[in-house]
Amino acid sequence: MLFVGCSENSISATTKRNLRSFEKRKQAGETQLDMNKPKTIGFFSSQLNGEVILRNDKKGEGNQAPLTVHELMLETATKYPDLIALGIKKVNEWETITYIEYYELCRKAAKSLLKLDLERFHGVGILGCNSIEWLVANIASIFAGGISVGIFPQNSPQNCRFIADNSEANIFMVEDDWQLQKILKVQNHLPHLKAIVQLKGKLRKKLPHLYSWEEFLKLGVTISDEMLDRIIDSQKPNQCCMVVYTAGTTGPPKAVMISHDNITWTSAAVLQSLPYTYAPENQEILVSYLPLCLITVQIFEIWIPITIGASIFFAEPDAIKVEGSLINTLREVRPTTFFGIPEVWEEIQQKLKLDQMSATSFKKNMIVWAKKVGLKTNLNREHDAHSPFNFRVAKKLIYERVRRNLGLDRCLQFLSSGAGLSKETQEFFLSYDITLLQIYGMTECTGPHSVSIEKEFKLLSCGKAIPGSNSLLRQKDEDGMGEFFIWGRHISMGYLNNEYKTKKVFDPKGWLHTGDMGILDNEGFIHITGRIEEIIITNEGERIFPVPIEDMLKNNIPIICHAMIVGNQAKFLSVLLTLKCEVNEDTGEPRSILTKEVINFCRRNNSKATKVTDITNNQDPVIDDIIQRGIDEINEQTDYDSHKILKWKVLEKDFSITGGELGPTSKMRRSHITRMYQTTIASFYI
């Protein structure tokens, strides 16, 4: 069993007192927001100490009483004190802590932050991989009146310096010595920095104002509960508690200010749409493995779990690397909901393809048959509610076995967030009776704005807006496509220290201008086509969205890893292609050796290529012909020359985060790639 019975004896006197105070306010209909009426304010702010108007929906769905992060955590910790909250594997055993231990540990860490002189509305940078310490540092920063600032583990010292300076960070929490060295390189340029805490491992060298995690937790013993509670009680739902830095795929990272209410309301709103199970009878079991500095990941791996009393188990740091340990963790934990991004689903898809290729002839035929049955049944299910007999047979023989092998046999929902989930990938999983439920959103709306559910599922749709929020399209064309504007209590406070950008993206009536183009159909389903800055304008003034074409290229030509369409203000389109190749596990750098899958593909098509350099510069006529045929299939779908891909080039190196072509979330940085390969692109149009 992953949880035990609740016991009030495990709750400290201070926690009980805080709970009584919170319940008294709830019964009186009073919130932290009411206790100190704000001055005249608007929907947005660009200052860390600013306050904003909450967008209450007149219909009532967005009208829930606002909560602070502490109130949310306190309520769950006292409701489910002895349920397992967090688990992490050490050696060969899982070590766990309960919800009351989780809450008390956050308070203990918050006192230590106050001892280190964390100032109100000043940043606490958290640099490292997912762990119990990461979550505690995150929540403790908020309890102590600071601003939680998650940072991508791959960030350079210069990026860390920018974030620390921008958020006026007083404290840095670093995972290990490798991350510590980044901060030590730039600490002389950080005027607000007061201390650094290393979350894991022994300190290699004792330095002033540097503490191990164990040393840090002992610092706060002289800070009273009353002092911490005064700071907690001063916090209001409409104030900032977190700054999230965007991935910067279309420009410099932007610092998005997230309020207490953004977090607590968004978590509750998503739960109104998705069929999560609730503790204690049916406790959700989840795996945390995606970077927690992403707000969407935090909503699904920190805040929704706290809201419903779920158990979170942490994967190993190498979980999402090629051939990483994620599947092993899933098999051990067997989560009840799985949250992924397109890159993760593609990795799982690749694994299933390789398993099929290595199967015996009989089993391979069984898989092919089952996949055809699965896809046909799932695509037709809105017309036929009853599963045919052959589908039920295939489920017993293939689908259930695949889920067990992936560790997803207890999963009730499979969620996917982020751009780039192709139709081919969605249909692949449908053929295994796994429905990938797409989520649409952005950092500026605290992660999710719309979610898909299995009862109302549309292929290539991102579902419907969460309850209490609104969507509308502006500047629609004749096909009904326009830019999405969205509204609700999930809309963030604004951009830190950037009033100009805040006023440009967030309008005075409270709407967020997303920059995403798409269609809102008659049933309320959201269909995203692409971002405005990605649109290619031909020399005839026609608009072309590159992503669907790029997805088709990767589908038609299995050896392609990345495809980037170019051709702005040109007579025709061209494309830069990269091949699937092995990756250096330590650095993330792509190697020149092709993956086993690509080499096998080459052998089946009479090509001897084993390296990228065997194919570049048109050295392999067989592969050149395969690429051209894949492109020709796409060109046949249009009668306009300006919409056809007439030139292409295979690049000598795949795109990567370390190379700068991909952002931290593996999205292509198109403007950066265009600058890198401007000579190549220019040669297409000579």
Side-chain angles (χ1 to χ4, degrees):
M1 296 291 286
L2 288 169
F3 59 85
V4 295
C6 303
S7 170
E8 236 186 86
N9 295 329
S10 58
I11 304 175
S12 70
T14 300
T15 301
K16 289 179 182 178
R17 185 178 67 246
N18 288 335
L19 179 63
R20 285 195 297 271
S21 175
F22 172 50
E23 288 178 339
K24 187 176 179 181
R25 290 199 305 271
K26 278 181 69 177
Q27 289 171 2
E30 186 181 57
T31 69
Q32 293 282 80
L33 192 61
D34 300 317
M35 296 179 70
N36 186 8
K37 291 289 184 182
K39 54 186 177 295
T40 303
I41 53 177
F43 286 115
F44 307 105
S45 174
S46 56
Q47 301 301 316
L48 279 176
N49 61 355
E51 298 178 27
V52 295
I53 298 171
L54 302 184
R55 299 167 185 75
N56 288 324
D57 188 353
K58 295 177 182 178
K59 297 177 182 177
E61 291 179 317
N63 242 347
Q64 298 94 328
L67 293 174
T68 63
V69 163
H70 177 263
E71 288 171 333
L72 175 67
M73 185 75 173
L74 173 66
E75 192 168 25
T76 299
T78 51
K79 191 176 182 181
Y80 310 118
D82 297 326
L83 292 191
I84 289 177
L86 307 174
I88 194 160
K89 195 169 187 181
K90 293 187 176 179
V91 190
N92 291 318
E93 293 185 356
W94 287 93
E95 293 186 7
T96 61
I97 65 172
T98 63
Y99 263 102
I100 195 62
E101 290 171 334
Y102 186 12
Y103 172 74
E104 296 290 357
L105 188 56
C106 290
R107 286 184 63 92
K108 188 175 184 179
K111 290 180 183 180
S112 294
L113 288 171
L114 293 176
K115 185 66 176 180
L116 291 175
D117 199 23
L118 172 64
E119 298 173 63
R120 188 80 166 95
F121 298 114
H122 277 253
V124 176
I126 311 172
L127 179 62
C129 295
N130 302 17
S131 65
I132 290 176
E133 293 84 357
W134 203 109
L135 266 64
V136 170
N138 178 49
I139 295 171
S141 305
I142 298 171
F143 281 11
I147 302 294
S148 171
V149 184
I151 303 172
F152 282 101
Q154 298 88 351
N155 269 13
S156 66
Q158 291 71 30
N159 285 338
C160 294
R161 174 185 172 182
F162 167 78
I163 291 171
D165 188 52
N166 187 250
S167 64
E168 298 185 349
N170 287 159
I171 317 288
F172 249 105
M173 302 282 195
V174 298
E175 180 179 9
D176 51 22
D177 185 72
W178 182 63
Q179 300 290 10
L180 171 64
Q181 297 308 315
K182 294 180 184 179
I183 308 307
L184 293 179
K185 285 181 181 178
V186 297
Q187 67 174 338
N188 293 333
H189 302 283
L190 305 177
H192 302 283
L193 185 64
K194 298 180 179 181
I196 305 172
V197 179
Q198 185 173 308
L199 302 178
K200 294 182 179 179
K202 292 183 179 179
L203 301 178
R204 271 185 18 188
K205 183 179 180 182
K206 184 58 182 170
L207 299 171
H209 311 296
L210 171 63
Y211 305 89
S212 68
W213 179 248
E214 292 74 19
E215 291 170 337
F216 165 73
L217 288 177
K218 294 176 183 177
L219 293 175
V221 293
T222 58
I223 302 295
S224 68
D225 285 313
E226 289 74 20
M227 180 179 177
L228 175 59
D229 286 334
R230 281 197 298 272
I231 293 170
I232 288 172
D233 290 342
S234 72
Q235 297 169 19
K236 292 187 279 185
N238 65 339
Q239 292 176 325
C240 184
C241 67
M242 182 183 298
V243 172
V244 179
Y245 288 82
T246 61
T249 53
T250 58
K254 297 184 287 290
V256 181
M257 296 164 56
I258 304 293
S259 72
H260 291 261
D261 186 67
N262 286 151
I263 291 170
T264 58
W265 182 89
T266 303
S267 301
V270 172
L271 286 168
Q272 289 184 57
S273 295
L274 293 174
Y276 279 90
T277 57
Y278 287 71
E281 291 80 11
N282 295 294
Q283 190 181 24
E284 280 279 357
I285 311 297
L286 308 170
V287 170
S288 174
Y289 69 101
L290 293 168
L292 289 169
C293 45
L294 299 170
I295 187 58
T296 305
V297 175
Q298 281 207 36
I299 290 296
F300 285 94
E301 295 188 6
I302 299 179
W303 305 113
I304 284 178
I306 289 175
T307 306
I308 62 175
S311 288
I312 293 286
F313 293 86
F314 293 96
E316 299 290 334
D318 70 344
I320 56 176
K321 291 182 179 179
V322 177
E323 298 182 3
S325 61
L326 177 60
I327 299 297
N328 293 334
T329 302
L330 293 176
R331 287 171 180 164
E332 287 189 49
V333 175
R334 297 172 63 216
T336 51
T337 289
F338 183 67
F339 176 76
I341 56 176
E343 291 76 16
V344 170
W345 292 116
E346 287 167 7
E347 283 293 329
I348 296 174
Q349 177 182 359
Q350 199 54 47
K351 172 181 168 42
L352 292 176
K353 283 183 176 179
L354 291 173
D355 288 347
Q356 181 179 337
M357 287 172 56
S358 61
T360 63
S361 179
F362 174 76
K363 187 177 178 182
K364 193 179 293 183
N365 290 333
M366 285 287 292
I367 293 172
V368 170
W369 166 78
K371 286 175 66 180
K372 287 180 180 178
V373 170
L375 182 59
K376 182 179 178 181
T377 303
N378 280 298
L379 290 177
N380 293 331
R381 64 182 168 180
E382 61 180 281
H383 306 294
D384 183 6
H386 302 288
S387 300
F389 176 73
N390 59 354
F391 175 81
R392 296 196 297 272
V393 173
K395 186 172 184 176
K396 285 289 182 185
L397 294 177
I398 302 297
Y399 313 147
E400 290 180 356
R401 184 175 299 176
V402 165
R403 288 196 186 195
R404 282 197 302 273
N405 289 340
L406 294 175
L408 300 175
D409 54 306
R410 292 198 301 188
C411 247
L412 300 177
Q413 53 185 346
F414 304 87
L415 308 176
S416 180
S417 176
L421 186 66
S422 67
K423 181 182 179 183
E424 190 260 342
T425 298
Q426 289 186 70
E427 290 185 341
F428 177 88
F429 280 97
L430 279 177
S431 72
Y432 280 103
D433 194 33
I434 293 174
T435 304
L436 302 187
L437 303 172
Q438 283 208 74
I439 295 163
Y440 163 69
M442 55 200 308
T443 306
E444 288 83 348
C445 66
T446 321
H449 172 68
S450 69
V451 296
S452 299
I453 58 174
E454 200 153 2
K455 291 180 180 178
E456 293 184 280
F457 174 75
K458 279 192 177 183
L459 193 66
L460 301 181
S461 161
C462 300
K464 297 181 179 181
I466 56 177
S469 67
N470 295 304
S471 316
L472 62 82
L473 289 180
R474 292 280 172 86
Q475 299 178 331
K476 289 191 287 186
D477 61 18
E478 62 273 13
D479 298 319
M481 185 184 300
E483 180 188 357
F484 272 98
F485 284 26
I486 60 179
W487 188 95
R489 274 167 62 180
H490 58 326
I491 305 301
S492 66
M493 298 177 68
Y495 296 119
L496 175 60
N497 301 329
N498 196 335
E499 187 176 358
Y500 169 77
K501 189 72 175 177
T502 298
K503 288 182 176 178
K504 186 176 180 182
V505 176
F506 307 90
D507 70 30
K509 294 184 179 180
W511 290 86
L512 166 63
H513 303 196
T514 67
D516 289 316
M517 299 291 290
I519 294 170
L520 185 64
D521 69 23
N522 295 332
E523 298 174 81
F525 286 90
I526 290 174
H527 304 260
I528 300 297
T529 310
R531 291 195 58 77
I532 290 174
E533 62 262 23
E534 292 175 347
I535 296 173
I536 293 173
I537 309 295
T538 70
N539 68 332
E540 298 291 334
E542 299 160 312
R543 297 190 306 177
I544 297 174
F545 290 92
V547 174
I549 303 173
E550 292 161 354
D551 287 341
M552 285 191 286
L553 282 166
K554 290 187 284 186
N555 186 33
N556 288 358
I557 312 165
I559 63 173
I560 298 301
C561 186
H562 290 98
M564 193 181 98
I565 297 289
V566 297
N568 214 34
Q569 298 299 321
K571 294 181 179 180
F572 58 86
L573 302 178
S574 301
V575 63
L576 301 174
L577 303 170
T578 72
L579 303 176
K580 294 176 181 176
C581 56
E582 293 186 359
V583 176
N584 185 310
E585 291 293 332
D586 296 323
T587 65
E589 278 282 325
R591 291 175 167 154
S592 62
I593 301 171
L594 299 170
T595 63
K596 293 178 182 178
E597 174 210 0
V598 173
I599 292 174
N600 289 336
F601 178 89
C602 290
R603 293 294 175 275
R604 291 196 304 272
N605 288 277
N606 300 317
S607 165
K608 297 180 180 180
T610 58
K611 298 180 180 179
V612 176
T613 49
D614 294 335
I615 294 173
T616 52
N617 298 317
N618 307 106
Q619 294 181 82
D620 192 323
V622 172
I623 299 301
D624 283 357
D625 183 58
I626 289 170
I627 292 172
Q628 189 59 57
R629 279 189 277 124
I631 291 173
D632 290 343
E633 284 182 33
I634 295 171
N635 288 340
E636 287 171 5
Q637 298 180 32
T638 179
D639 296 326
Y640 300 98
D641 287 343
S642 59
H643 290 211
K644 293 181 178 179
I645 303 168
L646 299 187
K647 294 192 178 181
W648 54 272
K649 183 175 179 64
V650 176
L651 303 178
E652 294 182 358
K653 188 178 178 183
D654 190 15
F655 299 156
S656 66
I657 295 172
T658 52
E661 301 95 342
L662 304 179
T665 55
S666 296
K667 292 180 183 177
M668 286 193 296
R669 300 175 64 204
R670 294 176 186 271
S671 57
H672 182 78
I673 296 169
T674 301
R675 289 193 298 272
M676 283 182 68
Y677 293 99
Q678 58 184 339
T679 303
T680 300
I681 294 170
S683 70
F684 293 147
Y685 299 101
I686 294 175

